[in-house]
Amino acid sequence: MLEKRDYDAVVVGSGPNGLSAAILLQQKGLSVLLIEGKSTIGGGLRSAELTLPGYLHDICSAVHPLAVSSPFFEQLPLSEHGLEYIYPELAAAHPFDNGTAALLKHSVEETARLLGADEHAYLELMQPVVKDWPLIAPDVLGPLRYPKHPLAMARFGLPALTAATHLAKRFETTEAKGLLAGMAAHAIQPLTNLTTSAIALVLMAAGHLKGWPIPKGGSKNIANALASYFISIGGSIETNTYITTLNQLPSAHAVLFDITPRQLLQIAGHKFSSIYKWQLERYRYGAGIFKIDWALDAPIPFKAKGCTAAGTIHIGNTIEEIADGEQQIWDGKHPETPYVLLAQPSLFDASRAPRGKHIAWAYCHVPNGSAKDMTVTIENQIERFAPGFKATILGRHTMNTAQMEEYNPNYIGGDINGGVIDIGQLFTRPVLRWSPYKTSAKGIYICSSSTPPGGGVHGMCGYHAAKRALKDIFNR
């Protein structure tokens, strides 16, 4: 029998992983307090009028293929708590200089057919992933362990562990190679790195299975629905409480931190073993981002057919250009023609802008901690594929790496993935341990995107950390 504490568990940080951890613990009958340093919950799930009145922008994440595919979120009645997804006709589009675009459609077969000479190669690559995804999703989106379906996992793992530049050799066409490169660039690292194919395969499979939806009314509504459900089952939330020491916390049997290793060391480092502290201190953060939100007078006038039907646009032209740009960033440089990830939610959600007007959201990768203003560079890249874009701009809001970190302290140096997700930190984030969520101090856990499976709005880091705490502390 555990002695009486103020709460059974306390979760620090209300991003999707903190919310997920708190929900699972509360579902198991524990008393749980969720603490958030800012005035509103959400972490990377916040929306605000950043540019002009009536233009509602997503401060960080905007499009959510992993949220709608999350094995944990699927179990929650989030629609009953106000969450409604809108599904663009196309998940993503990838325009080229010649005025065409590669399109990620819901159907694997339709996507493949548009790739011409690479139709068979695309089907051969993606059909097994899509077919096996329901079997392998819990293992792909979890810690390293023996898979429940080893053959299916092997079919995914063999191509997934390769570098995107290597996987692209399966294709002949510029279109197929570019489509793959745009997906792989979500990994925010050189495309020559091992495992960069994994994020591409996951994102494409998610698009084929469930699409890449946007939450109606903004990303804040995912966080609001999770919080509403958490409160409905008895959970408590406290905002405006920024934790810097363990002494600030009420007594609890377990504390789960939705923060990265750097903050964890500052708050609880004195509780850890010397070897665990040494391991956390060696944790590596990746490239940052420079982000722009625009209020627009009209939709972005992309040359390529299909781009206005897609919620997400990958701007970067060929695989060679994208790979060169991502390598430059890794080398501490700022490419003149960077890969740009762009979302255009108001094409599908009229609530996001005044009648007849629009919003757009985009970022490019930059070296960690970069202070360079990339506004002109990003807008020139978009103008390259959408002549007349600049003339539609009514207002803009920019965030460099320091401002990203100020907005969310987990974005160290602008790194939105909670640490680089390369072969050295894919399953061993934040350290090499039997359970990556368990620290060396009893009752203290880490549940952020610095644990497997890493960045993205899926809640699975928090889910797995909570499962570990339930087993260790509460024997459940």
Side-chain angles (χ1 to χ4, degrees), residues 189-248:
Q189 57 186 293
L191 302 192
T192 52
N193 280 8
L194 293 175
T195 74
T196 44
S197 295
I199 186 65
L201 295 177
V202 168
L203 289 175
M204 289 191 291
H208 291 314
L209 285 163
K210 294 197 173 180
W212 287 16
I214 56 175
K216 186 176 182 180
S219 293
K220 64 180 174 61
N221 286 336
I222 299 178
N224 289 344
L226 289 166
S228 174
Y229 173 65
F230 174 58
I231 292 170
S232 76
I233 59 174
S236 301
I237 297 177
E238 182 179 311
T239 57
N240 288 311
T241 305
Y242 191 79
I243 302 301
T244 57
T245 70
L246 291 176
N247 294 335
Q248 293 172 263

Side-chain angles (χ1 to χ4, degrees), residues 89-108:
E89 180 185 341
L90 300 177
H94 186 116
F96 297 95
D97 279 334
N98 64 3
T100 66
L103 308 176
L104 185 72
K105 294 199 161 195
H106 181 70
S107 163
V108 181

Side-chain angles (χ1 to χ4, degrees), residues 115-122 167-178 319-320:
L115 295 175
D118 282 318
E119 178 178 1
H120 179 71
Y122 189 83
L167 188 63
K169 292 178 182 178
R170 293 187 178 211
F171 300 125
E172 300 176 19
T173 65
T174 297
E175 290 76 16
K177 291 181 179 183
I319 187 172
E320 291 81 9

Side-chain angles (χ1 to χ4, degrees), residues 1-81:
M1 178 71 73
L2 294 171
E3 62 184 69
K4 180 66 176 173
R5 302 282 173 89
D6 294 327
Y7 294 90
D8 291 317
V10 171
V11 179
V12 177
S14 70
N17 289 309
L19 283 160
S20 295
I23 286 171
L24 182 59
L25 294 167
Q26 189 71 38
Q27 284 178 327
K28 299 302 181 182
L30 305 181
S31 60
V32 183
L33 172 66
L34 178 63
I35 298 177
E36 169 56 46
K38 302 280 187 177
S39 59
T40 58
I41 57 135
L45 294 172
R46 293 191 179 98
S47 309
E49 293 183 345
L50 298 176
T51 56
L52 300 171
Y55 293 82
L56 185 63
H57 305 274
D58 293 316
I59 302 175
C60 190
S61 57
V63 182
H64 298 281
L66 295 182
V68 75
S69 301
S70 166
F72 182 55
F73 288 175
E74 284 181 332
Q75 302 172 24
L76 306 178
L78 299 182
S79 62
E80 297 173 19
H81 292 266

